[in-house]
Amino acid sequence: MTLVKFNSDKKNNALMPGFNDVFDTFFNDAFMHDRMVTRVPAANIGETADEYHIELAAPGLKKNDFKINVDDHVLNISVEQSHENTENNKKYNKREFSYTSFVRSFTLPDTADDSRIEAAYNDGLLSICVAKREEAKSVSRQIAIK
């Protein structure tokens, strides 16, 4: 015997009880959820007196997977990665494809020197340092009180 839970608290369920529950269960399933959610890595943006810092959390990638370029003061970070696993057994062939891609774009301020950008990837964290132009660096000085 199979027991099916019907939720009678939902509105508009009088004609077909449980109909909405079927779709809720399907679309909230972890298998479907992983494939329907857009995966764009989170970014932290910071600034020091000499440069801007951008950090992207992108675990599971290699540094060769990233493409970083600057076009008209816009820093573009993109990844395209595909995997193909093939498993051959006696009477069937199983293939699984996995494809990951994303693009993050950041508009650089006018004070950024886009000719001096450095990037490093370590432990799942892509770190990008964009140097500031010399005239944009903040100068600190002590003001004498008269």
Side-chain angles (χ1 to χ4, degrees):
M1 181 165 118
T2 303
L3 296 177
V4 177
K5 179 183 173 188
F6 289 105
N7 204 352
S8 61
D9 294 340
K10 293 185 179 180
K11 295 180 181 179
N12 299 330
N13 239 5
L15 295 176
M16 299 180 78
F19 185 72
N20 289 335
D21 291 339
V22 171
F23 288 105
D24 287 343
T25 304
F26 178 74
F27 287 112
N28 289 330
D29 186 9
F31 176 77
M32 287 300 295
H33 185 26
D34 287 347
R35 280 144 184 81
M36 293 175 67
V37 174
T38 304
R39 293 193 172 132
V40 177
N44 293 332
I45 301 172
E47 176 182 1
T48 63
D50 296 330
E51 56 192 7
Y52 299 100
H53 299 278
I54 301 171
E55 298 175 332
L56 255 68
L61 298 174
K62 294 177 261 179
K63 70 178 186 176
N64 297 336
D65 294 334
F66 293 97
K67 292 179 184 168
I68 303 172
N69 62 18
V70 177
D71 186 24
D72 196 25
H73 272 322
V74 177
L75 178 70
N76 295 307
I77 304 165
S78 63
V79 167
E80 279 193 37
Q81 182 185 43
S82 62
H83 297 286
E84 182 178 333
N85 298 327
T86 304
E87 180 182 314
N88 294 316
N89 286 336
K90 292 180 182 177
K91 293 189 178 185
Y92 64 91
N93 186 10
K94 176 182 170 186
R95 298 187 97 179
E96 295 180 352
F97 294 99
S98 175
Y99 186 77
T100 303
S101 70
F102 68 83
V103 175
R104 290 291 312 253
S105 298
F106 302 95
T107 302
L108 298 176
D110 293 333
T111 56
D113 185 359
D114 57 5
S115 64
R116 296 189 304 154
I117 298 176
E118 295 180 0
Y121 183 71
N122 192 14
D123 293 333
L125 186 68
L126 177 67
S127 300
I128 300 172
C129 296
V130 182
K132 289 184 178 180
R133 294 182 183 190
E134 289 299 322
E135 61 270 11
K137 292 182 181 177
S138 61
V139 177
S140 177
R141 63 183 180 101
Q142 186 68 30
I143 310 285
I145 301 174
K146 295 181 183 180

